Amino acid sequence: MSVFCQKCGHRNIGDAFFCSSCGGTLEVDGDKTVVIAKVDSLQDALGPQDNASVDLQSLPQHFGTLMVRSGPQAGQRFVLDASLTKLGRHPDSEISLDDISVSRRHAEIERQSTEYVLRDVGSMNGTYVNQKRVDGVVLQQGDEILVGRFRLIFLGPVE
């Protein structure tokens, strides 16, 4: 019999007490105790992805840009040149974020003159800006957007 880790999903042998992949505690013989780690707001502040630099001259002058800081598509950039940009797992989304943690129709960004308004469109896991859950917010230069496991940085138009 196999036991699946509740933390990372790794398959472990049936008599294991700890996950061989992440070290998390495994559910054993009906034990339903769940340990939730404390959220560290600086959880990856020392990670290599924070050493990335962006040449602002390489960004579009008249449009905002989203850059994927971490997640399965880290490093990708998306120019927000349409009046409405949809984010989600659905392949028809302008920004397709292919991961189960992202709803098919997760969020959208509407360009209103020089402002960009981010709205959650009923996602299961919510949309976060600078670690706060939001329904709608005007994006500011450098805002960090969390959509599922994806961390995106908003870079406003270069003037």
Side-chain angles (χ1 to χ4, degrees):
M1 179 174 109
S2 296
V3 177
F4 291 91
C5 177
Q6 297 293 321
K7 187 174 178 183
C8 71
H10 181 74
R11 182 188 305 230
N12 295 275
I13 59 173
D15 60 350
F17 293 101
F18 298 97
C19 177
S20 62
S21 177
C22 71
T25 305
L26 298 175
E27 184 178 311
V28 181
D29 296 331
D31 180 18
K32 299 292 182 191
T33 303
V34 176
V35 178
I36 300 175
K38 179 181 173 188
V39 175
D40 181 2
S41 62
L42 301 174
Q43 67 189 16
D44 51 4
L46 300 176
Q49 63 271 22
D50 282 341
N51 294 329
S53 61
V54 177
D55 178 11
L56 295 179
Q57 300 302 329
S58 69
L59 297 176
Q61 288 191 354
H62 304 292
F63 301 109
T65 303
L66 283 183
M67 186 174 79
V68 182
R69 185 177 142 243
S70 66
Q73 294 166 246
Q76 281 190 318
R77 292 182 189 180
F78 301 97
V79 178
L80 303 172
D81 55 357
S83 59
L84 185 69
T85 303
K86 299 174 196 164
L87 293 82
R89 198 174 75 240
H90 195 281
D92 289 343
S93 299
E94 286 79 12
I95 299 178
S96 182
L97 302 171
D98 190 20
D99 187 79
I100 194 70
S101 63
V102 178
S103 296
R104 287 184 180 275
R105 309 237 188 267
H106 199 103
E108 63 186 22
I109 298 175
E110 183 179 7
R111 182 168 46 100
Q112 298 175 350
S113 183
T114 59
E115 292 185 331
Y116 290 82
V117 179
L118 170 72
R119 286 188 204 88
D120 184 278
V121 290
S123 67
M124 288 290 287
N125 294 327
T127 303
Y128 295 79
V129 173
N130 300 327
Q131 301 177 359
K132 294 181 182 169
R133 190 170 183 157
V134 296
D135 290 325
V137 66
V138 175
L139 293 173
Q140 303 297 317
Q141 181 77 335
D143 277 349
E144 180 184 64
I145 303 165
L146 183 65
V147 176
R149 291 183 11 197
F150 293 86
R151 289 178 186 251
L152 306 115
I153 302 296
F154 173 74
L155 302 168
V158 178
E159 309 236 351

